[in-house]
Amino acid sequence: MDTPRTDTPTDTAPDDAALSQRPSTPAVPEADQAHSVLGALRSGKRLRTEVLGGLVVALALIPEALSFSIIAGVDPRLGIFASFTMAVSIAFLGGRPAMISAATGAVALVVAPVVRDHGVDYLIATVILAGVVQVAMGLLGVARLLRFIPRSVMIGFVNALAILVVLSQLPYLTGVPWAVYALVAAGIAIIALLPRLTTAVPAALVAIVLLTVVTVVAGLTVPNVGDQGELPDALPTLLLPQVPLTLETLGIIAPYALAMALVGLLESLMTAKLVDDVTDTHSNKGREAWGQGAANIITGFFGGMGGCAMIGQTMINVKVSGARTRISTFLAGVFLLALVVGLGDVVGLIPMAALVAVMVMVSVATFDWHSIRPSTLRRMPLSETAVMVTTVAAVVATHNLAIGVIAGVLVATVLFARRVAHLTQVTRRATDEGCEYVVTGALFFASSNDLVYQFDYAGDPDRVVIDLSGAQVWDASTVATLDAITTKYAARGKQVAITGLDAPSADRHRRLTGNLGAGH
């Protein structure tokens, strides 16, 4: 068994890096690695893990797909078909092995107005256009922007996800028979305790099967999968949306397609990063970005409602089941369609309590409990905690992970700019020829705006030197400030010499000085 390659950058590393702890050995092709597709096919134990992982995910996908179809206002079949085509397509096209993509709540919320105002054909056209936008963004390298997301935002994203998973299960626990609570408790106990005895079969699958058998044999009247909506009884077929190919149509669907593309990419790339951390491997984020787009294009042409990475189901696959390759993702889609089309009556008998138990345990495993320990909070800078809390609050309030991440990044940016701005210092000292001001720190819009007030224009001698050897000029705002300082001295007949600029700062100052306009 070989270790992951170390000579490949993060965004281009092999998809299925091995996870073993053997001493480093020369890098080998992915096909020879134990956690590659071929490596799993050659190992009965690994293959069983992948197959069972895919089966558990398929069972968990069914009620989610039905629920998201209702949110989007479409026939439940569109949610099922979207989950099938997204999972199967991304298994081949995606850059993050073992990650699950399917119909999601975030996408459902974005496209719901299209269905309500214009109909299903416009929805399908929106999904296809969103896929095209995602492919373009992936090829343009948008995935590289993920590096600008701070760690505190990532932690907030993970914690908010765990909270949303629990909140999404509350409807199945409200106004239900007492037997539901007993079944949920039993399911949680099985998932928590069974791994201590054996890991041969995923505990989540055992819980689903046992609780279904108990429900049927005991004749318990509890909510089940069949109550969530009508399951399809036929395979999806290729189709074209019946919409006029005009600029008016483009004007209708473009805003929704762009929103869907951005939300889907952000959730997918964040999920990929999370799986990277869980599995201690790297994934190709650029490939994941355009792969999501291609999967949405395929989904649209098969009449699906579109989607993106599903964080809860991905955690079931990776953390609970231990899957690591594309096999589990592919089989999740195949099993999903086979179950709803071929065994719909049987699947309909699965109690929702079993799936609730699975999702609750996924939430517990996903939440970063270390981040809220008192000892951690005492050591963590207040600004970092504020960013995490902002991310969590925004996600929980909007039920949109993308909005939460954007809010967290904005708060982190403002707090960082504020902190860096206070690191700038100005020191005055007299010289034989006049006086010299020594400026240190990063000069940008937040720190340079107050710089103009640090000089004694009336009291300084006729020659003033501003030494910037300990500072860096980062933007036009700083150049404008330096121009303003020079102008104020010149109005009093005094000369200013700016010295010590490093090469990038000098180049920026040379290009912009005198060209920004008065007062700008």
Side-chain angles (χ1 to χ4, degrees):
M1 187 180 299
D2 296 308
T3 55
R5 292 178 59 150
T6 58
D7 58 345
T8 309
T10 298
D11 283 352
T12 56
D15 289 332
D16 290 318
L19 301 177
S20 66
Q21 301 299 316
R22 275 188 60 177
S24 298
T25 56
V28 294
E30 180 183 351
D32 292 332
Q33 297 181 9
H35 287 177
S36 68
V37 170
L38 289 182
L41 292 174
R42 292 168 180 163
S43 168
K45 182 179 180 181
R46 288 297 312 156
L47 182 59
R48 182 175 67 249
T49 298
E50 300 295 319
V51 172
L52 294 178
L55 179 57
V56 174
V57 169
L59 292 171
L61 278 174
I62 296 171
E64 297 277 341
L66 296 174
S67 299
F68 298 147
S69 299
I70 295 172
I71 292 174
V74 300
D75 189 300
R77 289 176 296 180
L78 272 68
I80 295 292
F81 291 161
S83 295
F84 162 69
T85 53
M86 286 293 297
V88 170
S89 300
I90 209 67
F92 293 96
L93 301 171
R96 173 66 260 177
M99 192 166 79
I100 305 298
S101 291
T104 62
V107 169
L109 289 171
V110 170
V111 300
V114 181
V115 181
R116 183 185 65 243
D117 298 335
H118 303 285
V120 173
D121 282 311
Y122 278 84
L123 163 66
I124 295 172
T126 300
V127 172
I128 295 172
L129 180 58
V132 172
V133 173
Q134 287 178 326
V135 169
M137 295 173 74
L139 295 177
L140 290 173
V142 172
R144 287 193 289 270
L145 296 178
L146 191 66
R147 71 187 64 182
F148 295 107
I149 297 179
R151 179 179 179 274
S152 295
V153 175
M154 276 296 302
I155 294 175
F157 171 82
V158 170
N159 291 345
L161 157 68
I163 295 172
L164 284 188
V165 169
V166 171
L167 292 178
S168 68
Q169 306 309 304
L170 293 183
Y172 306 119
L173 298 173
T174 305
V176 295
W178 66 267
V180 171
Y181 303 108
L183 290 172
V184 171
I188 291 175
I190 293 171
I191 298 171
L193 300 177
L194 184 62
R196 300 182 182 183
L197 301 177
T198 178
T199 57
V201 180
L205 180 59
V206 174
I208 293 171
V209 173
L210 287 181
L211 294 186
T212 302
V213 171
V214 169
T215 301
V216 173
V217 172
L220 298 177
T221 304
V222 295
N224 56 34
V225 172
D227 298 330
Q228 307 307 307
E230 183 181 355
L231 298 175
D233 56 5
L235 299 176
T237 56
L238 193 64
L239 57 84
L240 292 174
Q242 300 301 308
V243 297
L245 300 178
T246 63
L247 291 177
E248 182 182 358
T249 299
L250 181 62
I252 293 173
I253 66 175
Y256 298 104
L258 179 60
M260 176 182 165
L262 292 173
V263 169
L265 268 190
L266 185 55
E267 290 207 22
S268 298
L269 294 176
M270 292 288 284
T271 303
K273 178 65 167 61
L274 178 59
V275 178
D276 288 353
D277 294 339
V278 170
T279 61
D280 196 25
T281 61
H282 295 305
S283 60
N284 188 328
K285 305 301 188 303
R287 176 177 172 181
E288 184 61 42
W290 65 254
Q292 287 286 334
N296 270 309
I297 294 173
I298 294 171
T299 296
F301 281 120
F302 277 94
M305 58 177 279
C308 61
M310 292 198 76
I311 310 169
Q313 276 67 16
T314 296
M315 289 298 100
I316 291 176
N317 195 42
V318 174
K319 256 192 171 181
V320 178
S321 301
R324 291 293 183 270
T325 76
R326 300 176 185 275
I327 296 175
S328 57
T329 306
F330 173 77
L331 290 180
V334 172
F335 283 146
L336 169 65
L337 195 63
L339 288 169
V340 298
V341 174
L343 298 172
D345 293 338
V346 176
V347 171
L349 297 175
I350 297 175
M352 288 304 301
L355 299 176
V356 169
V358 172
M359 298 307 292
V360 167
M361 292 305 293
V362 167
S363 175
V364 171
T366 302
F367 196 91
D368 187 346
W369 298 101
H370 180 269
S371 66
I372 61 172
R373 290 178 183 172
S375 58
T376 302
L377 295 175
R378 284 195 298 269
R379 290 193 299 267
M380 192 66 63
L382 185 60
S383 60
E384 300 286 335
T385 302
V387 170
M388 182 188 72
V389 172
T390 298
T391 304
V392 172
V395 171
V396 173
T398 64
H399 283 228
N400 190 318
L401 291 163
I403 291 178
V405 170
I406 292 172
V409 171
L410 289 176
V411 171
T413 302
V414 171
L415 292 177
F416 173 76
R418 182 174 180 273
R419 185 165 60 250
V420 173
H422 285 84
L423 297 178
T424 302
Q425 294 182 341
V426 179
T427 304
R428 183 185 184 278
R429 62 188 181 190
T431 64
D432 294 338
E433 299 180 354
C435 74
E436 180 181 57
Y437 286 89
V438 178
V439 182
T440 58
L443 299 177
F444 63 108
F445 61 90
S447 60
S448 61
N449 283 337
D450 291 335
L451 188 64
V452 71
Y453 305 113
Q454 305 298 313
F455 298 84
D456 184 3
Y457 303 102
D460 282 341
D462 292 339
R463 177 172 174 76
V464 176
V465 175
I466 301 177
D467 181 7
L468 297 180
S469 57
Q472 302 82 37
V473 176
W474 288 109
D475 60 5
S477 294
T478 301
V479 176
T481 298
L482 293 175
D483 285 353
I485 293 170
T486 302
T487 300
K488 287 179 178 293
Y489 276 115
R492 293 170 172 80
K494 302 176 182 181
Q495 294 183 343
V496 177
I498 298 176
T499 63
L501 289 169
D502 59 23
S505 299
D507 178 67
R508 189 171 290 110
H509 184 266
R510 182 176 58 255
R511 285 187 291 108
L512 297 177
T513 186
N515 296 313
L516 298 174
H520 300 287

